[in-house]
Coordinates of all heavy atoms in Angstrom, one line a residue:
N2 N -24.2 -7.5 5.7 CA -23.4 -8.3 6.5 C -24.1 -9.6 6.9 O -25.1 -9.5 7.6 CB -23.0 -7.5 7.7 CG -21.9 -8.2 8.5 OD1 -21.5 -9.3 8.2 ND2 -21.3 -7.5 9.5
E25 N -28.3 -28.0 41.1 CA -28.9 -26.7 40.5 C -29.7 -27.0 39.2 O -29.2 -27.9 38.4 CB -27.8 -25.7 40.3 CG -27.1 -25.3 41.5 CD -27.9 -24.4 42.5 OE1 -28.8 -23.6 42.0 OE2 -27.7 -24.5 43.7
V32 N -30.8 -22.3 24.6 CA -31.3 -21.0 24.1 C -30.6 -20.7 22.8 O -29.3 -20.7 22.8 CB -31.1 -19.9 25.2 CG1 -31.4 -18.5 24.6 CG2 -32.0 -20.2 26.4
E37 N -29.1 -9.0 15.3 CA -28.5 -8.3 14.1 C -28.1 -6.9 14.5 O -28.6 -6.3 15.4 CB -29.6 -8.2 13.0 CG -30.2 -9.5 12.5 CD -29.2 -10.5 11.9 OE1 -28.1 -10.1 11.5 OE2 -29.5 -11.7 11.9
S50 N -36.1 -15.9 35.3 CA -36.3 -16.6 34.1 C -35.0 -16.8 33.2 O -35.0 -17.5 32.3 CB -37.4 -15.9 33.2 OG -37.0 -14.6 33.0
R78 N -15.5 -18.2 23.9 CA -14.5 -19.0 24.6 C -13.1 -18.6 24.3 O -12.2 -19.0 25.0 CB -14.7 -20.5 24.3 CG -15.9 -21.1 25.0 CD -15.7 -22.6 25.1 NE -16.9 -23.2 25.7 CZ -18.0 -23.5 25.0 NH1 -18.0 -23.3 23.7 NH2 -19.1 -24.0 25.5
G91 N -21.3 -3.9 25.6 CA -21.2 -3.4 26.9 C -22.5 -3.6 27.7 O -23.6 -3.7 27.1
I93 N -25.0 -2.5 30.9 CA -25.4 -1.5 32.0 C -26.3 -2.3 33.0 O -27.3 -2.9 32.5 CB -26.3 -0.4 31.4 CG1 -25.7 0.2 30.2 CG2 -26.5 0.7 32.5 CD1 -24.4 0.9 30.3
E129 N -15.7 13.5 25.9 CA -16.6 14.6 25.5 C -17.8 14.1 24.7 O -19.0 14.4 25.1 CB -15.8 15.6 24.6 CG -16.5 16.9 24.3 CD -16.8 17.7 25.5 OE1 -16.0 17.7 26.5 OE2 -17.8 18.4 25.5
H139 N -22.7 19.0 31.2 CA -22.7 20.1 32.2 C -22.3 19.6 33.6 O -22.1 20.4 34.5 CB -24.0 20.8 32.2 CG -25.2 19.9 32.6 ND1 -25.6 18.9 31.8 CD2 -26.0 19.9 33.7 CE1 -26.6 18.2 32.3 NE2 -26.9 18.8 33.5
Q143 N -18.6 17.3 38.4 CA -19.3 17.0 39.7 C -18.8 15.6 40.2 O -18.4 14.7 39.4 CB -20.8 16.8 39.4 CG -21.5 18.1 39.0 CD -21.7 19.0 40.2 OE1 -22.0 18.6 41.3 NE2 -21.5 20.3 40.0
R153 N -26.8 9.2 37.3 CA -25.8 8.3 37.5 C -25.9 7.1 36.5 O -24.9 6.6 36.1 CB -25.8 7.7 39.0 CG -25.3 8.8 40.0 CD -24.8 8.1 41.2 NE -25.8 7.3 41.9 CZ -26.7 7.9 42.7 NH1 -26.7 9.2 42.9 NH2 -27.6 7.1 43.4
G160 N -19.8 5.7 30.3 CA -18.6 4.9 30.5 C -18.5 3.8 29.5 O -17.4 3.5 29.0
L162 N -20.2 3.8 26.5 CA -20.1 4.4 25.2 C -18.7 4.9 24.8 O -18.3 4.8 23.6 CB -21.0 5.7 25.1 CG -22.5 5.5 24.9 CD1 -23.2 6.8 25.0 CD2 -22.8 4.8 23.6
Q167 N -20.5 -1.7 19.8 CA -21.5 -1.9 18.8 C -22.9 -2.1 19.4 O -23.9 -1.9 18.8 CB -21.2 -3.1 17.9 CG -19.9 -3.0 17.1 CD -19.6 -4.3 16.5 OE1 -19.0 -5.2 17.1 NE2 -19.9 -4.5 15.2
L181 N -40.2 8.9 35.9 CA -39.7 9.9 34.9 C -38.3 9.6 34.4 O -38.1 9.5 33.2 CB -39.8 11.3 35.5 CG -39.4 12.4 34.5 CD1 -40.4 12.5 33.3 CD2 -39.3 13.8 35.2
R183 N -36.9 6.8 34.5 CA -37.0 5.5 33.8 C -37.4 5.8 32.3 O -36.7 5.3 31.4 CB -38.1 4.8 34.4 CG -38.2 3.3 34.0 CD -39.3 2.6 34.7 NE -39.0 2.3 36.1 CZ -39.9 1.9 37.0 NH1 -41.2 1.7 36.7 NH2 -39.5 1.6 38.2
L190 N -31.9 5.2 25.3 CA -31.6 4.0 24.6 C -32.1 4.0 23.1 O -31.4 3.6 22.2 CB -32.1 2.8 25.3 CG -31.5 2.5 26.7 CD1 -32.2 1.4 27.4 CD2 -30.0 2.2 26.6
E210 N -42.0 -0.8 29.0 CA -40.7 -0.2 28.5 C -40.4 -0.7 27.1 O -39.5 -0.2 26.5 CB -39.6 -0.7 29.4 CG -39.6 0.0 30.8 CD -38.3 -0.1 31.5 OE1 -37.4 -0.8 31.0 OE2 -38.2 0.6 32.5
M220 N -38.7 -14.9 28.0 CA -38.0 -16.1 28.6 C -38.8 -16.6 29.8 O -39.5 -15.8 30.5 CB -36.6 -15.7 29.1 CG -35.7 -15.3 28.0 SD -34.0 -15.3 28.5 CE -33.7 -17.0 28.9
E228 N -41.2 -15.3 20.6 CA -40.5 -14.2 19.9 C -41.6 -13.5 19.1 O -42.4 -14.1 18.4 CB -39.5 -14.7 18.9 CG -38.1 -14.9 19.5 CD -37.0 -15.1 18.5 OE1 -36.7 -14.2 17.7 OE2 -36.5 -16.3 18.4
L254 N -55.6 1.0 28.6 CA -56.4 2.2 28.3 C -56.3 2.6 26.8 O -57.3 2.8 26.1 CB -56.0 3.3 29.2 CG -56.7 4.7 29.0 CD1 -58.2 4.6 29.2 CD2 -56.1 5.7 29.9
E256 N -55.4 0.9 24.3 CA -56.0 -0.1 23.5 C -57.5 0.1 23.4 O -58.1 0.0 22.3 CB -55.6 -1.5 24.0 CG -55.6 -2.6 23.0 CD -54.9 -2.3 21.7 OE1 -53.7 -1.9 21.8 OE2 -55.5 -2.4 20.6
I272 N -49.9 7.4 31.2 CA -51.1 8.1 31.3 C -51.0 9.5 30.8 O -51.8 10.0 30.0 CB -51.7 8.1 32.8 CG1 -52.0 6.7 33.2 CG2 -52.8 9.1 32.9 CD1 -53.3 6.1 32.5
G281 N -54.2 16.8 22.1 CA -53.7 17.2 20.8 C -54.7 16.8 19.8 O -55.1 17.0 18.8

Side-chain angles (χ1 to χ4, degrees):
N2 191 352
E25 298 289 328
V32 171
E37 305 295 339
S50 56
R78 282 205 186 84
I93 315 290
E129 189 62 33
H139 58 295
Q143 294 286 321
R153 287 205 298 281
L162 279 178
Q167 293 171 281
L181 183 63
R183 192 179 282 170
L190 293 173
E210 288 197 353
M220 295 194 66
E228 272 192 69
L254 173 63
E256 203 48 54
I272 293 291

